[in-house]
Amino acid sequence: QVQLVESGGGLVQPGGSLRLSCAASGLAFSSYAMGWFRQAPGKDREFVAGISWKGARTSYADSVKGRFTISRDNAKNTVYLQMNRLKPEDTAVYYCAADRNYDPTRWPIGLDYWGQGTQITVSS
């Protein structure tokens, strides 16, 4: 079955950096666009960043543009999210997800597969 497993979460001070990884199995990874999403307590899940099948196209939420970078390694079936200059408002559970179509304007609606999430807490 399809599995998306996130790792790299944790506690970080404001201004710090973290790198999330999402390892995929059970699917033809290079045939899927990938996205990162987050959900803070009491809020809806929101789009953070997306990347097309071979990485030629990327998209970011305005709130993370210039601070976060999404990338993928199709040989390792893994997508990454490099997060720099973290802020307390970045605190949330972060999820990766897969979609046969690259459509950040629709996300997080209609993605095919989701990971279980990893907690990011930005606090001093």
Side-chain angles (χ1 to χ4, degrees), residues 13-28:
Q13 292 188 341
S17 297
L18 280 177
R19 187 196 197 202
L20 302 183
S21 299
C22 171
S25 61
L27 78 170

Side-chain angles (χ1 to χ4, degrees), residues 6-46:
E6 301 95 339
S7 61
L11 174 65
V12 62
Q13 292 188 341
S17 297
L18 280 177
R19 187 196 197 202
L20 302 183
S21 299
C22 171
S25 61
L27 78 170
F29 183 71
S30 61
S31 296
Y32 284 81
M34 299 297 295
W36 285 98
F37 304 82
R38 66 187 182 187
Q39 188 167 18
K43 295 189 176 182
D44 293 334
R45 192 170 298 187
E46 63 176 2

Side-chain angles (χ1 to χ4, degrees), residues 6 20 36-39 46 48 64 67-68 81 83 86-87 89-96 115-122:
E6 301 95 339
L20 302 183
W36 285 98
F37 304 82
R38 66 187 182 187
Q39 188 167 18
E46 63 176 2
V48 174
V64 307
R67 300 188 298 122
F68 291 10
L81 185 68
M83 304 184 293
L86 283 159
K87 304 175 181 180
E89 51 263 44
D90 294 318
T91 295
V93 178
Y94 282 70
Y95 300 87
C96 68
Q116 293 299 306
T118 186
Q119 176 71 46
I120 303 295
T121 302
V122 184

